[in-house]
Amino acid sequence: MSEHRRRMREAGFRSIQVWVPDTRAKNFAAEAHRQSAMAADAATHSDDQEWIEAVSVSWDDE
C-alpha cells in the first residue's frame, strides 16, 4: 500500500479521508426517509434557495 501511495503522490495526487453515512446502520433507512420527507414538504421556493442559486456556479456557465 505504501508503494501505491508513493506512486500516487509522485503523479501529483494527495490522499484525503472522507466520512460518509453508514448505509448499513440500522437507522439509516428511517433517517434517509425522514430527511427526504422534510425536503419534499418544504416550500418549492425559499429565500435560502434563492441565495444558494445566487452564489452557485452552474457547470453550464463555465
Side-chain angles (χ1 to χ4, degrees):
M1 193 60 169
S2 62
E3 179 64 22
H4 172 71
R5 290 180 182 194
R6 184 190 62 74
R7 286 194 315 268
M8 294 300 284
R9 277 193 292 275
E10 287 176 356
F13 293 92
R14 72 180 175 100
S15 177
I16 63 169
Q17 183 174 12
V18 179
W19 289 88
V20 297
D22 184 355
T23 57
R24 300 167 298 177
K26 65 180 181 178
N27 65 336
F28 177 84
E31 180 61 17
H33 184 276
R34 184 188 72 79
Q35 291 183 21
S36 297
M38 286 177 55
D41 291 340
T44 57
H45 197 66
S46 68
D47 292 342
D48 292 345
Q49 187 61 38
E50 286 179 23
W51 180 83
I52 290 169
E53 291 172 5
V55 299
S56 296
V57 174
S58 170
W59 291 109
D60 296 334
D61 294 342
E62 291 186 0

